[in-house]
Amino acid sequence: MSEKEMPKAYEADQYEDDIYAAWEKSGFFNPDNLPGERKESFTIVLPPPNVTGVLHMGHAAMLAIEDIMIRFERMRGKKALWLPGTDHAAIATQTKVEKLLIKDGMEDPRTTLGRENFLEKVEEFASNSHDVIVSQAKKMGASLDWSREAYTLDKDRNNAVNAVFKMMYDDGLIYRGHRVINWCPRCKSTLADDELEHKEGNAKLYTFKYDSDFPISISTTRPETKYGDTAVAVHPDDDRYKEYVGKEIKVNFLGQDLNIQVVADKAVDMDFGTGALGVTPAHSHTDADMARVHGLKSVHVISEDGLMINVESVVGMTVKEARKYAVSKLSEKGLIEHEEDIVHNLSVCYRCEETIEPLPMLQWFIDVNKKFSFKGEDDSIKGIKANQEVTLKLLMQHVVRTDQINIIPGQFEKTYFHWIDNLRDWNISRQIWFGHRVPVWYHDKVSVTKKGEENLVDQCKEMIVSSDEPKCEFCDAKFFQDPDTLDTWFSSGIWTFSTLGWPNQTDDLKTFHPTNVLETGYDILFPWVARMILMTTYVLGTVPFKETYLHGLVRDEKGRKMSKSLGNAINPLEMIKKYGADATRLSLVIGVTAGNDSKLSESKIGGYRNFTNKLWNISRYVFSSVDSIEIVESVNPVTLSDKWVLSRLAEVSKKVELHLEKHEFSQAGEKLREFTWAEFADWYLEISKIQKNENTDKILLYTLESILSQWHPFMPFVTEQVYKQFGLPNMMLINKWPEVNGSKTNTEAETDFKIIQNLISSIRNIRAEYNVEHKKEVSVLIKTSNKQRTIIENEKSIVMSLAKVSNIEFVDESPKGAFSSTVISGVEVYVSLEGLIDIQKEKNRLQKEIDLTEKYISGLEKKLSNKEFLNKAPKNIVDKLTSQKEDAELKISTLKSQLLSF
RNA sequence: GGGCGCUUGGCUCAGUUGGUUAGAGCGUCUCGUUUACACCGAGAAGGUCGGGGGUUCGAAUCCCUCAGCGCCCACCA
């Protein structure tokens, strides 16, 4: 396409798909194919999107940010790998499919279909969802290495999961135990502590006695659980109950015999209710903790179906029915002393919002406090020696505290430590079907002895940890596998290395691990980031990544969460179609800072579409104005504006690179936009129309190529499309990141050019204020020093053209008459306005300027007359203020004499 | 209950280690179709940086306090 074929407006959707296809075909998303010697690697693993549905703006933001980092480093000559994948998201996906099947009329999908058929349905859904996600990521322009794509539930990842499970089991870190866990009665599964959400709800707080002969009244919102009480706890300092502490009291609670121990525990709040708490070890985490401390028995009264068990009078009732029943019986007996409406926090399932029921169950756990010997080498984590005794908690804290993992923004480190301090053993088994099956096999009791006639059955192993079905060496009985699956975060926790081939010691693992940056939302710092740190420091004895960059949530323009139910979600695909992927990316990156939520509106995206078009048109102009389109390697500035634009370019490029290195994408983008639009386009391009020499073409091409390259990570499509105009075989994708040419920095040129800019602006200002017709040229008189006179004389043609001036005359005396005047940078400017001048207006204008300057001077005087300031402030500050004051004084005397001339 | 954060022109936000007269985009107003761009250009208006106090020669920036908002964690039953 020649420049003549570049249409007036950039229509993104005409180019984007072709460009992406060309990138893919080039193979350069795969770091193995990148040209040149690349010693340093740069790796990001994509936080795998859940295969529960389509991508939303949050994913789009993630893809934009990570693609910027990857493209930047790829252009800087690194072996850049961005590894894609998807997450099976066990509970989330299973729940979603179940709901869909129920919606289609299947009452109980799991029972109807059975494990295998049900899983087939889930896999089908997951696979469709996966395809949609991949195509959306491509629409965003994500330069992911699809040849290395992984899935948290594929064969390779399953091997890795089983291997990690076995390692941890052998180290005693994974254990099976009866614990009170979080049970979701709808999902029919346990949940980890951080998979709960807390919702405020109304409840009735009942105060009553178990029976009239029981000495202590207790308060509860759940009377139905009291059938399982084995103790009453009071605060040790509570005088009211001191006499009962240590006693065991038999009581009949609505027909159920209870053995109640009275215990003292500091966890009890003396001021809440009666200050006495009925302890139900089986159905409350707090109570279970207390039971452990005081050695209390646990009585199980609620089943996994949410039905009452083990209590004759209420057996088979739902929890709610039992509560109603117990309350009515209590009030019949006149035992209720008080009823109160309270607001309390309910734990609900994060996936289906069902109220969580704490239940005792036999489950698998990871012990976060158990000691084991460190698996890495000396200092593979700094400060830890090979085989040193450590705990998972210790490693998790150590790597962040010692900055071997840097969390951005820093304030999240505090939250991270706080979370780890309160971390309990991690329940990793789930009673759902979709996921990695727990790799544990149990012995079927029926057996026929082997090894001749000897009876060796008692030597059979009860349980074997293995990924494949084991065979017993002593009998013919079969093993059956644990029906449970693993928490989805178990497999995502090993994501940085399972994707690189572990447990095999692959080249990829050596080259790309530890990864460089883990970029994700702050909302999964705990469930995911923390667990990756746990898993990787344990398994490999290294960190999984060196930095964690946390982005915020993308909200709607009113700051609300985007959601289907609110109908306020902006669809990324629609926006890409309408405004282009580049504009969509910019809207998610500029004006956004790490860790903070951002507000997005369609008009914001529209605004960045305008910018894409601006860049397109800048290029279009450059290509149409130069004699031949070519890459320019080096430039020699001739004119003042040449020197200025190259100096600015060098300055801005330096800042852009620095910001990108620090992951300050917004800052980098803003600096670049400022230069592109307000300096290169508004000034240099305009000047190039009037002042052209043999160098101008070169400088235009050089600057354009530089800013296109710097924009490429942000706006890959439009920059790639424009780059085609250079007619080169290579792509912008692997173009070299522009080197900052410090020798082009020229402060003098910048200062001098500023005078020209100010001069032009001030003349334009006067013209606008007096409504001088656009086509009408004005004449200008200038009184100034010789040095500045030379500068202006040299750039006379620019001033005349850009400010619509017919002639510039230099004078030694301030003229009188029909002039509007002003003073900038020591230059007195008089614009001839014969017939238009309004003396009063002019006087007001000058007076206003004088007032402003006087105020400014008095502020400076106050500082400069302060001895403390002169003594303590650094000399350069004092000097600066002094010279500023001198300038301002000069200005004010000029303004005053201009005022007097009327 | 504990912890973290936010409050800067009408709106969305920048503001690095305290040091020019606090910046940008959008919006608003005035003017303008000059062959890169009306998805544009020129010009302008608009903020005592939430309130109060302190530290300092100097505070949007550091400290205290109050107010409003938001988030996270938690076993007040």
Side-chain angles (χ1 to χ4, degrees):
Chain A
M1 195 194 286
S2 82
E3 82 278 356
K4 292 204 178 64
E5 289 166 41
M6 274 180 89
K8 257 172 102 155
Y10 172 68
E11 299 295 344
D13 68 336
Q14 289 182 16
Y15 311 103
E16 290 182 349
D17 288 347
D18 290 345
I19 293 171
Y20 196 89
W23 285 335
E24 268 200 289
K25 199 174 155 218
S26 78
F28 293 137
F29 291 171
N30 180 344
D32 300 338
N33 301 331
L34 286 169
E37 184 91 14
R38 289 168 190 252
K39 286 186 186 127
E40 215 179 320
S41 69
F42 183 85
T43 317
I44 298 177
V45 288
L46 178 77
N50 292 351
V51 288
T52 46
V54 297
L55 296 187
H56 55 248
M57 273 299 174
H59 293 113
M62 166 183 89
L63 291 167
I65 294 169
E66 291 173 25
D67 199 37
I68 289 173
M69 294 195 263
I70 283 289
R71 284 180 188 267
F72 173 56
E73 299 295 356
R74 188 185 292 123
M75 289 172 81
R76 292 218 293 176
K78 290 189 189 163
K79 211 181 266 187
L81 170 64
W82 188 16
L83 199 154
T86 45
D87 193 326
H88 69 287
I91 289 186
T93 311
Q94 170 158 335
T95 307
K96 179 115 191 189
V97 173
E98 251 178 318
K99 283 186 175 169
L100 287 174
L101 289 171
I102 290 168
K103 210 174 146 195
D104 287 349
M106 197 181 285
E107 228 166 79
D108 184 352
R110 269 183 275 174
T111 314
T112 314
L113 295 170
R115 189 159 186 152
E116 246 171 68
N117 291 331
F118 179 77
L119 279 178
E120 229 168 74
K121 291 271 181 205
V122 180
E123 286 293 0
E124 188 191 321
F125 174 87
S127 151
N128 286 336
S129 181
H130 159 270
D131 296 349
V132 175
I133 288 167
V134 168
S135 82
Q136 284 180 316
K138 292 182 177 180
K139 284 276 181 193
M140 278 295 290
S143 58
L144 287 153
D145 179 7
W146 298 107
S147 72
R148 284 180 167 86
E149 191 187 346
Y151 176 45
T152 54
L153 196 55
D154 61 23
K155 185 81 192 90
D156 290 346
R157 262 42 67 179
N158 185 244
N159 287 342
V161 162
N162 290 338
V164 171
F165 190 99
K166 184 146 175 52
M167 267 173 87
M168 289 188 134
Y169 179 80
D170 291 344
D171 271 335
L173 294 178
I174 284 182
Y175 68 91
R176 197 177 188 215
H178 261 289
R179 290 291 167 87
V180 174
I181 45 72
N182 308 300
W183 180 258
C184 172
R186 198 222 64 84
C187 297
K188 301 241 186 303
S189 177
T190 59
L191 295 170
D193 291 342
D194 54 309
E195 284 175 318
L196 305 183
E197 266 170 22
H198 299 279
K199 234 169 63 178
E200 257 193 6
N202 296 312
K204 262 202 166 44
L205 180 68
Y206 302 96
T207 302
F208 57 89
K209 283 183 178 161
Y210 293 112
D211 203 355
S212 49
D213 57 356
F214 195 80
I216 305 171
S217 303
I218 55 164
S219 300
T220 184
T221 53
R222 303 197 58 188
E224 75 280 9
T225 63
K226 298 295 102 180
Y227 293 108
D229 279 13
T230 56
V232 163
V234 298
H235 195 276
D237 300 336
D238 199 330
D239 292 334
R240 292 173 292 182
Y241 307 116
K242 263 201 169 136
E243 52 174 310
Y244 304 111
V245 173
K247 293 199 168 142
E248 183 173 332
I249 305 172
K250 285 191 193 308
V251 67
N252 186 281
F253 175 64
L254 306 178
Q256 184 80 356
D257 286 325
L258 306 179
N259 280 329
I260 302 292
Q261 305 238 359
V262 181
V263 299
D265 196 300
K266 275 189 279 189
V268 179
D269 181 351
M270 279 163 67
D271 300 322
F272 188 88
T274 59
L277 159 69
V279 183
T280 324
H283 299 288
S284 152
H285 289 286
T286 334
D287 295 7
D289 289 346
M290 267 188 220
R292 210 166 302 131
V293 174
H294 299 283
L296 302 172
K297 287 211 174 81
S298 174
V299 178
H300 195 170
V301 297
I302 300 169
S303 75
E304 290 153 26
D305 305 316
L307 302 178
M308 301 304 293
I309 49 168
N310 299 333
V311 183
E312 219 177 302
S313 53
V314 292
V315 72
M317 285 188 193
T318 65
V319 167
K320 276 185 187 162
E321 286 164 357
R323 184 178 311 162
K324 217 168 153 189
Y325 174 85
V327 170
S328 76
K329 285 288 167 196
L330 283 169
S331 79
E332 256 173 45
K333 291 188 148 195
L335 291 170
I336 295 187
E337 293 163 13
H338 190 63
E339 267 187 54
E340 191 186 343
D341 288 314
I342 60 159
V343 177
H344 72 158
N345 273 330
L346 267 178
S347 296
V348 298
C349 173
Y350 80 130
R351 285 303 171 196
C352 68
E353 302 224 321
E354 183 79 14
T355 308
I356 291 304
E357 199 65 65
L359 293 177
M361 283 184 79
L362 187 59
Q363 294 288 313
W364 290 97
F365 294 88
I366 290 181
D367 191 329
V368 294
N369 292 307
K370 186 173 171 96
K371 287 195 174 154
F372 62 94
S373 51
F374 180 58
K375 300 207 168 334
E377 294 159 18
D378 285 357
D379 288 326
S380 62
I381 289 175
K382 266 182 237 129
I384 310 274
K385 297 264 171 272
N387 300 316
Q388 185 179 330
E389 291 267 282
V390 288
T391 67
L392 294 172
K393 248 192 192 183
L394 184 144
L395 284 177
M396 290 170 89
Q397 289 163 328
H398 176 81
V399 290
V400 175
R401 188 160 290 135
T402 54
D403 285 332
Q404 293 176 72
I405 293 177
N406 188 18
I407 301 181
I408 303 168
Q411 68 259 27
F412 279 99
E413 293 195 359
K414 286 181 192 166
T415 335
Y416 175 83
F417 289 126
H418 184 249
W419 184 77
I420 293 182
D421 288 343
N422 294 307
L423 187 61
R424 295 194 287 189
D425 286 359
W426 171 16
N427 172 205
I428 51 168
S429 44
R430 297 288 178 274
Q431 290 65 50
I432 57 168
W433 290 342
F434 188 50
H436 292 279
R437 193 97 175 245
V438 171
V440 174
W441 300 77
Y442 306 98
H443 208 278
D444 203 338
K445 286 298 172 197
V446 185
S447 55
V448 177
T449 53
K450 276 185 182 174
K451 303 207 171 179
E453 297 305 309
E454 260 180 293
N455 190 347
L456 297 167
V457 177
D458 53 347
Q459 294 189 43
C460 296
K461 279 198 180 160
E462 297 264 314
M463 188 182 94
I464 290 176
V465 175
S466 157
S467 33
D468 303 313
E469 184 177 347
K471 283 216 160 56
C472 184
E473 19 172 345
F474 303 108
C475 76
D476 290 336
K478 287 210 157 199
F479 280 83
F480 64 93
Q481 191 171 7
D482 195 305
D484 288 0
T485 51
L486 290 168
D487 181 0
T488 192
W489 300 109
F490 191 99
S491 51
S492 25
I494 61 176
W495 188 240
T496 61
F497 56 92
S498 71
T499 50
L500 292 170
W502 190 91
N504 300 318
Q505 291 304 313
T506 59
D507 287 344
D508 268 10
L509 198 60
K510 271 179 233 145
T511 310
F512 299 110
H513 203 277
T515 66
N516 293 73
V517 186
L518 189 277
E519 196 280 340
T520 192
Y522 65 73
D523 52 327
I524 50 174
L525 176 62
F526 302 140
W528 191 41
V529 179
R531 285 193 172 110
M532 282 198 282
I533 297 176
L534 181 155
M535 288 294 200
T536 316
T537 53
Y538 167 74
V539 175
L540 298 182
T542 68
V543 294
F545 34 75
K546 293 158 194 160
E547 283 182 316
T548 298
Y549 179 97
L550 300 169
H551 64 247
L553 263 48
V554 180
R555 297 171 175 276
D556 76 357
E557 68 261 69
K558 287 178 186 149
R560 299 172 304 186
K561 265 191 185 175
M562 286 189 187
S563 76
K564 267 189 202 154
S565 52
L566 280 173
N568 63 343
I570 301 177
N571 180 346
L573 283 186
E574 250 174 59
M575 295 300 108
I576 290 170
K577 179 124 189 59
K578 208 161 160 188
Y579 303 104
D582 293 330
T584 307
R585 291 164 64 115
L586 285 179
S587 75
L588 293 165
V589 167
I590 297 186
V592 179
T593 42
N596 288 321
D597 293 353
S598 59
K599 293 178 190 173
L600 183 69
S601 60
E602 186 169 340
S603 70
K604 188 174 173 187
I605 303 170
Y608 287 108
R609 187 270 318 266
N610 296 356
F611 179 70
T612 0
N613 189 56
K614 184 75 187 180
L615 189 60
W616 176 261
N617 271 289
I618 288 169
S619 316
R620 190 162 161 253
Y621 172 75
V622 170
F623 292 139
S624 71
S625 77
V626 297
D627 288 338
S628 74
I629 298 173
E630 61 192 359
I631 294 290
V632 175
E633 298 286 351
S634 72
V635 280
N636 274 315
V638 175
T639 66
L640 176 62
S641 27
D642 292 347
K643 290 175 190 157
W644 167 79
V645 80
L646 292 176
S647 176
R648 293 297 308 141
L649 176 65
E651 210 45 37
V652 168
S653 305
K654 196 165 80 190
K655 283 186 180 152
V656 167
E657 187 164 31
L658 227 59
H659 284 307
L660 284 177
E661 280 170 354
K662 292 198 277 183
H663 312 310
E664 293 163 352
F665 312 108
S666 179
Q667 299 275 62
E670 277 176 28
K671 293 265 155 46
L672 210 45
R673 179 179 53 182
E674 164 82 8
F675 176 76
T676 305
W677 201 321
E679 300 194 301
F680 186 52
D682 288 349
W683 289 96
Y684 193 75
L685 248 52
E686 291 308 317
I687 288 168
S688 80
K689 291 175 186 172
I690 42 191
Q691 191 186 64
K692 238 182 177 230
N693 61 56
E694 65 271 20
N695 261 321
T696 315
D697 283 6
K698 283 192 171 178
I699 292 173
L700 283 171
L701 288 164
Y702 176 86
T703 308
L704 178 66
E705 200 251 344
S706 176
I707 60 172
L708 286 173
S709 301
Q710 291 177 67
W711 274 121
H712 184 255
F714 294 86
M715 304 196 280
F717 289 108
V718 68
T719 49
E720 188 70 74
Q721 183 62 32
V722 170
Y723 192 69
K724 285 184 184 167
Q725 301 297 316
F726 284 101
L728 300 170
N730 68 311
M731 290 197 272
M732 179 53 95
L733 174 67
I734 50 158
N735 201 25
K736 232 176 83 202
W737 186 257
E739 256 173 62
V740 175
N741 191 339
S743 71
K744 292 289 186 281
T745 304
N746 186 335
T747 11
E748 200 190 341
E750 291 199 28
T751 316
D752 291 353
F753 192 79
K754 193 86 207 148
I755 294 171
I756 304 299
Q757 282 181 307
N758 286 341
L759 177 60
I760 292 167
S761 296
S762 67
I763 298 170
R764 282 170 172 175
N765 180 333
I766 288 168
R767 293 179 58 107
E769 256 178 57
Y770 280 98
N771 289 323
V772 177
E773 275 180 61
H774 276 77
K775 283 171 188 159
K776 191 182 169 185
E777 295 188 322
V778 293
S779 65
V780 171
L781 304 188
I782 288 172
K783 183 185 163 210
T784 187
S785 69
N786 282 337
K787 185 177 174 269
Q788 304 199 321
R789 178 177 170 155
T790 315
I791 296 164
I792 297 168
E793 250 171 358
N794 285 341
E795 310 304 323
K796 208 169 166 179
S797 61
I798 293 173
V799 179
M800 289 172 69
S801 169
L802 294 185
K804 288 266 183 313
V805 172
S806 57
N807 69 304
I808 295 174
E809 195 183 327
F810 292 91
V811 294
D812 297 326
E813 291 300 321
S814 310
K816 287 186 193 283
F819 293 101
S820 178
S821 54
T822 190
V823 50
I824 42 102
S825 329
V827 179
E828 291 178 45
V829 185
Y830 299 88
V831 179
S832 171
L833 291 172
E834 207 68 53
L836 286 171
I837 200 81
D838 175 336
I839 293 178
Q840 198 49 51
K841 187 174 174 177
E842 195 61 13
K843 281 184 171 173
N844 291 345
R845 217 169 59 84
L846 288 167
Q847 191 58 52
K848 203 175 144 197
E849 186 68 19
I850 290 169
D851 291 348
L852 217 68
T853 314
E854 262 173 356
K855 217 170 122 192
Y856 174 51
I857 290 176
S858 81
L860 287 174
E861 258 170 3
K862 215 169 127 192
K863 277 184 190 170
L864 288 166
S865 61
N866 185 335
K867 272 185 194 159
E868 297 269 16
F869 173 73
L870 294 174
N871 287 337
K872 291 182 182 170
K875 189 171 179 300
N876 62 326
I877 299 288
V878 177
D879 289 351
K880 204 155 92 182
L881 294 192
T882 310
S883 84
Q884 275 163 7
K885 192 184 150 215
E886 279 161 11
D887 290 350
E889 275 165 347
L890 202 69
K891 180 176 178 181
I892 218 161
S893 78
T894 313
L895 286 168
K896 277 182 177 162
S897 77
Q898 287 178 346
L899 182 61
L900 281 176
S901 74
F902 287 103

